[in-house]
Amino acid sequence: MEQPVVRLHSLRSVQLHVPDIAACSDFYSEVWGLSVVDRDTDDTWLRGTGPSHHVLQLSRAERNALGRISFAVRTRAEVDEAARRLTALGVPLLREPGSLEDVGGGYGLVLVDPEGRRVELSCDLFSVTPRSRDQAVPIGVTHVVLNTVDIDRAVEFYTQVLGMRVSDWSEHQMAFLRCNTDHHSIAFNQAAWTSVNHVAYEMASMDHFMRGIGSLKHHGITPLWGPGRHGPGNNTFSYFADPAGLVCEYTSDVAQVVEDQWLCRVWRRVPELSDLWGTAGPPSQDVRTHMAGIEDRGALAAPAAPAASEPVSAS
């Protein structure tokens, strides 16, 4: 393929399926720092301090799963052209280009990636007035890490079809992909099954990052892993579990890529590079189990029975 079908502008939002939507909605709105913009019986939409209408959608389901990853593109013409080229490549479309009848409005499509993940490409969504960043709460979603059964196939699809670029590798275990100047918006982790590894939320500064951890501590919530600073991406990290057991991360200071100057490197998977500060130590078995999740085949098939969790690595 000479050119990708689309150029993504940014990661806009993530939809997560959870069994106890009330508990998860309360956690993300009352503890994590997001704000509810809309809700109904089966869904809750939450925003950060940035202009996006919502950065997280929680949807009621029988088990944990990824609902949808939403990327921003700039124009309706780009959405239409992406649909034409995706169809020519044989990439399934769950939603043809058109007006999105979701609470955030907009125009877009939904495609299915090789492992069944639903990926939305959209523009013209409603925006909201940005809020003060004085409080230690998230601006929005900055990246999502996904467990994959075939890291090379996943990287090939997201680079050659969706136009993302590989920023770095962590040996042949993880690949970090960008769509703008942020070091990564998506990362893939080689694993035994497809699932969500974690969702990361951007804090405005390291001070906001640390104050956010302190706020969670006052709620009786301690990190699964962190605080620390990763080698790949140079971002700070502190990982927590929400009431569904899904992993959420506070992060800040992600490396910024200058396209003509950045050199992709392969990082060794050693403790001193997974945490440059040396404050967090290596991830525990509990962290690895949470990040492994349960198998999620998405749009490819009905969910399979939960499998015993297998350790996976994260960054």
Side-chain angles (χ1 to χ4, degrees):
M1 180 183 296
E2 294 183 0
Q3 293 292 330
V5 304
V6 68
R7 290 291 183 183
L8 306 177
H9 177 263
S10 60
L11 175 64
R12 189 194 302 279
S13 65
V14 175
Q15 178 190 26
L16 297 175
H17 290 167
V18 294
D20 191 340
I21 192 170
C24 287
S25 297
D26 288 346
F27 170 81
Y28 283 103
S29 61
E30 298 177 9
V31 179
W32 194 247
L34 302 179
S35 302
V36 174
V37 289
D38 207 340
R39 71 197 320 162
D40 59 26
T41 303
D42 295 320
D43 295 272
T44 303
W45 293 265
L46 302 107
R47 63 166 293 183
T49 61
S52 294
H53 176 271
H54 65 277
V55 299
L56 175 64
Q57 179 183 349
L58 299 170
S59 299
R60 189 187 309 277
E62 293 183 358
R63 53 186 280 159
N64 292 345
L66 176 68
R68 181 177 66 247
I69 308 169
S70 297
F71 288 100
V73 299
R74 295 188 182 278
T75 67
R76 297 188 176 207
E78 289 180 80
V79 174
D80 292 339
E81 177 63 10
R84 185 188 69 78
R85 297 190 62 192
L86 288 165
T87 300
L89 290 171
V91 177
L93 297 184
L94 289 183
R95 173 180 275 176
E96 298 286 340
S99 296
L100 302 175
E101 297 178 356
D102 299 328
V103 296
Y107 183 90
L109 61 80
V110 177
L111 63 94
V112 181
D113 81 0
E115 290 181 272
R117 302 180 191 90
R118 297 169 178 86
V119 179
E120 180 183 270
L121 310 179
S122 57
C123 63
D124 297 344
L125 269 73
F126 300 149
S127 60
V128 291
T129 302
R131 290 178 172 164
S132 169
R133 296 186 180 180
D134 291 340
Q135 291 185 311
V137 298
I139 299 170
V141 172
T142 183
H143 69 256
V144 56
V145 175
L146 303 167
N147 295 322
T148 175
V149 299
D150 189 341
I151 195 168
D152 294 316
R153 185 184 186 195
V155 169
E156 180 181 32
F157 181 85
Y158 279 78
T159 55
Q160 295 192 14
V161 178
L162 297 184
M164 303 189 81
R165 284 85 70 199
V166 178
S167 297
D168 283 313
W169 286 84
S170 179
E171 296 187 4
H172 194 232
Q173 178 66 36
M174 291 192 71
F176 300 86
L177 280 64
R178 67 185 184 274
C179 62
N180 49 35
T181 59
D182 286 351
H183 178 269
H184 57 286
S185 298
I186 291 281
F188 289 100
N189 177 67
Q190 182 67 44
W193 50 76
T194 301
S195 60
V196 177
N197 187 290
H198 69 268
V199 179
Y201 298 80
E202 180 187 7
M203 306 298 274
S205 69
M206 191 187 303
D207 180 72
H208 289 77
F209 167 78
M210 292 303 296
R211 288 194 289 123
I213 296 170
S215 176
L216 291 176
K217 184 177 180 179
H218 286 303
H219 283 89
I221 298 172
T222 56
L224 291 173
W225 186 31
R229 183 183 288 278
H230 286 311
N234 197 47
N235 53 298
T236 63
F237 69 86
S238 196
Y239 297 93
F240 302 83
D242 71 14
L246 293 165
V247 179
C248 45
E249 176 191 6
Y250 277 165
T251 189
S252 67
D253 301 345
V254 66
Q256 296 298 295
V257 172
V258 178
E259 287 293 338
D260 295 336
Q261 301 175 19
W262 186 267
L263 294 177
C264 176
R265 63 179 284 192
V266 178
W267 293 74
R268 291 182 301 122
R269 296 185 65 76
V270 292
E272 59 267 29
L273 295 180
S274 66
D275 175 20
L276 299 177
W277 289 346
T279 54
S284 67
Q285 179 64 44
D286 185 43
V287 173
R288 294 173 182 272
T289 299
H290 274 87
M291 289 181 171
I294 56 177
E295 184 178 11
D296 175 13
R297 299 189 64 196
L300 292 180
S309 295
E310 175 172 304
V312 296
S313 301
S315 187

